[in-house]
Amino acid sequence: MTESAHGAEALMPLRIASIVDAADGIRSFELRPARGGELPPFTPGSHIKVQVPNGELRKYSLCNDAAERDRYVITVKRDAQGRGGSISLVDLASVGDTLPTSLPDNAFALVDNPGSLIFIAGGIGITPILSMIRSLGEPPTVPWKLYYLSQAPAGTAFLDELGNPALKASVRIHHDHGDPAQSLDLWPVLEKPNRGHVYCCGPRGLMEAVRDMSGHWSPGRIHFESFLEGGARQPDDQPFTVALARSGGELQVPVGKSILSVLLEAGVRVGHSCESGTCGSCRTGLLAGTADHRDMVLLPDEQDSQVMVCVSRASCEKLVLDL
């Protein structure tokens, strides 16, 4: 184990054993211990952090069966609008390369005895859900249904596996071809709450739609995981300042970096896990300023006094945090 340049987190040297094109612009990477042996176990829905060739640390969900102890498999979409992590991995990584990798962590875990499961995946959001489906076995230990949404077949990962006729009763794959008018209506899926659980992973627009349509469900039965990286750019992003009320000092948050990453680089201790605005671990008191909330956790009446620093930004020049 080595210590990451990004902090005290220990990283394992994992070797790229194989690279497979999973769809247009999407590649699967099989990672194995550089010296052989077993890997630390993981649970369905887990992610790892990988130091990609450009030196950045990026989070990717594990998509293989959690029963496998000899490998981790991640599937990565080349995102030209991201911060460069996925481009670096897809374009520069080769079989035989060593990638420093964190221990698995899970902010999107399957609950015990879920009753039944509805999975809603958008694009590359299929990756943690695929690991969950694989863990349920055949025949499955829990009844499940998957709604897998993408633009077109050519860009849909695991299309052959999930399109298997044997899964026809459990899997619905829908392509909208980039036309919002052809989007799948999920209201019939969510209209009637049941005693099962819903797991949704994909673009923020999909998750917001599912959140809006599932407001009448028990909150504990709706689970989200996002692939929006902390600091992921949006067209109107601007740099801003965060002031630390308790410890003193001010920090500059540039475009393309999250508040969380700036705080951690400055040595400020902040709880965090998912780094996608879905788990609530980085909830921080907001004492002044107006935040641009991009999380999936805070209720409207909490947004004036709290902020999720892993994904949210500022709608003003300065935020004052209770840190």
Side-chain angles (χ1 to χ4, degrees), residues 224-255:
F224 295 100
E225 169 76 316
S226 169
F227 275 83
L228 178 66
E229 292 182 313
R233 303 183 183 189
Q234 294 190 13
D236 56 350
D237 280 355
Q238 298 292 329
F240 60 96
T241 302
V242 291
L244 311 181
R246 284 188 280 124
S247 57
E250 295 187 349
L251 299 170
Q252 301 300 312
V253 182
V255 174

Side-chain angles (χ1 to χ4, degrees), residues 78-276:
R78 188 185 190 279
D79 183 3
Q81 305 303 315
R83 291 183 290 160
S86 65
I87 293 175
S88 172
L89 189 55
V90 170
D91 289 0
L92 302 178
S94 301
V95 172
D97 290 352
T98 297
L99 298 177
T101 304
S102 74
L103 295 172
D105 190 16
N106 201 335
F108 192 51
L110 276 174
V111 299
D112 293 332
N113 304 313
S116 64
L117 291 162
I118 295 173
F119 298 119
I120 301 173
I124 200 62
I126 189 62
T127 51
I129 288 174
L130 186 60
S131 180
M132 293 177 178
I133 290 172
R134 287 171 168 163
S135 75
L136 297 175
E138 183 57 44
T141 55
V142 176
W144 59 271
K145 180 80 174 181
L146 168 66
Y147 298 87
Y148 183 14
L149 316 179
S150 73
Q151 286 197 5
T156 305
F158 311 110
L159 188 58
D160 289 344
E161 179 177 348
L162 292 171
N164 187 316
L167 295 177
K168 186 175 182 180
S170 299
V171 176
R172 179 170 182 185
I173 301 174
H174 180 83
H175 308 295
D176 64 15
H177 302 283
D179 181 1
Q182 297 186 44
S183 297
L184 180 66
D185 182 9
L186 291 169
W187 176 243
V189 178
L190 299 167
E191 181 179 7
K192 297 179 180 178
N194 58 43
R195 300 181 67 84
H197 287 254
V198 177
Y199 283 81
C200 177
C201 183
R204 183 161 298 277
L206 171 64
M207 294 197 302
E208 288 176 347
V210 170
R211 181 184 60 184
D212 292 344
M213 285 187 277
S214 61
H216 55 303
W217 285 64
S218 169
R221 295 185 180 276
I222 308 292
H223 312 268
F224 295 100
E225 169 76 316
S226 169
F227 275 83
L228 178 66
E229 292 182 313
R233 303 183 183 189
Q234 294 190 13
D236 56 350
D237 280 355
Q238 298 292 329
F240 60 96
T241 302
V242 291
L244 311 181
R246 284 188 280 124
S247 57
E250 295 187 349
L251 299 170
Q252 301 300 312
V253 182
V255 174
K257 274 198 170 184
S258 66
I259 302 173
L260 175 64
S261 65
V262 170
L263 292 171
L264 294 176
E265 288 173 4
V268 181
R269 295 178 63 88
V270 184
H272 62 285
S273 178
C274 73
E275 298 182 45
S276 58

Side-chain angles (χ1 to χ4, degrees), residues 276-300:
S276 58
T278 56
C279 75
S281 297
C282 69
R283 183 189 298 257
T284 301
L286 176 62
L287 303 179
T290 303
D292 175 10
H293 295 285
R294 300 180 181 181
D295 64 276
M296 299 292 294
V297 178
L298 291 176
L299 299 173

